């Protein structure tokens, strides 16, 4: 499906390719920067209408620092020859209204560990970028 | 190798388990928080004497924001029943001296894309934590 001359080179992903890749993955990493301290969390997530949804535990660190804060979110996929990564920047909010929570639950997200995960966080993107990387093999 | 009563529950990883897992992985994600803006980068990395080494491009964003800054670094591994994640916090520095660079090169790190990656960054940990998660299946 790709032009032959692109197979051997790195390139940026299109917006649609980024969202296709986001939709195909179950696990991403959420990075936050509260008080200048970077934090990073592996999370299960779902995509709905170009927003991300995360299900988490009330009172968790994730909830505390995600509210009203800028976040970065990353997924990647590594094959023997080609790797893909997508980085999304946006804002995270805890969903409070029944309508918002219903929308989150409608994603059908099932977390790896489901115990007591009653909070939903939505990440609304401000920027999505992706890269396709071709493995460089040493000569010979 | 694990006590039977631990197989069904989540638990923290020991320090040694964290480092074993870090040593077994090729790809991690580096999170930075320059000027309150979280950033996240997928990177190839190597472990040597309980420090992490990353090979990157001169002038890259990674270099700019990693210097003298606190960083967080994450790896994870997801199986059908059990997942592991390790989060390391520490400080990143660009290696300037020949001795430091030689130590980095001695890790044998080969990046997925090797073009023009002449800078080495060392992450010295201040805290390493890990979790082992058991997938919770719905009843029935």
């Amino acid at each position: 499906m790709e032009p032959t001359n692109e197979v051997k080179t790195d390139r940026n992903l299109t917006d649609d390719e980024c969202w296709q890749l986001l939709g195909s993955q179950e696990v991403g990493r959420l990075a936050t920067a509260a008080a200048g301290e970077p934090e990073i969390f592996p999370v299960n997530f779902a995509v709905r209408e170009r927003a991300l949804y995360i299900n988490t535990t009330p009172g968790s660190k994730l909830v505390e620092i995600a509210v009203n804060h800028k976040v970065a979110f990353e997924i990647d996929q590594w094959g023997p020859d080609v790797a893909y990564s997508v980085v999304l920047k946006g804002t995270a909010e805890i969903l409070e209204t029944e309508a918002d929570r219903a929308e989150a639950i409608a994603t059908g997200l099932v977390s790896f560990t489901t115990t007591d995960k009653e909070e939903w966080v939505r990440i609304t993107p401000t920027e999505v970028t992706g890269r396709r990387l071709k493995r460089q093999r040493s000569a010979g």
Side-chain angles (χ1 to χ4, degrees), chain A residues 121-136:
Chain A
V121 175
R122 178 167 56 209
I123 300 171
T124 305
T126 52
E127 181 190 327
V128 182
T129 54
R131 287 286 288 167
R132 174 191 183 282
L133 303 171
K134 178 80 177 67
R135 188 188 289 271
Q136 304 296 315

Side-chain angles (χ1 to χ4, degrees), chain A residues 71-116:
Chain A
V71 297
F73 184 87
E74 189 265 357
I75 59 161
D76 50 52
Q77 185 179 302
W78 300 75
D81 295 314
V82 178
Y84 298 89
S85 75
V86 174
V87 173
L88 180 152
K89 293 184 188 176
T91 48
E93 57 178 328
I94 295 179
L95 303 183
E96 308 275 7
T97 71
E98 278 311 301
D100 274 347
R101 291 174 58 86
E103 196 167 351
I105 290 163
T107 63
L109 174 63
V110 178
S111 289
F112 197 91
T113 61
T114 53
T115 322
D116 296 330

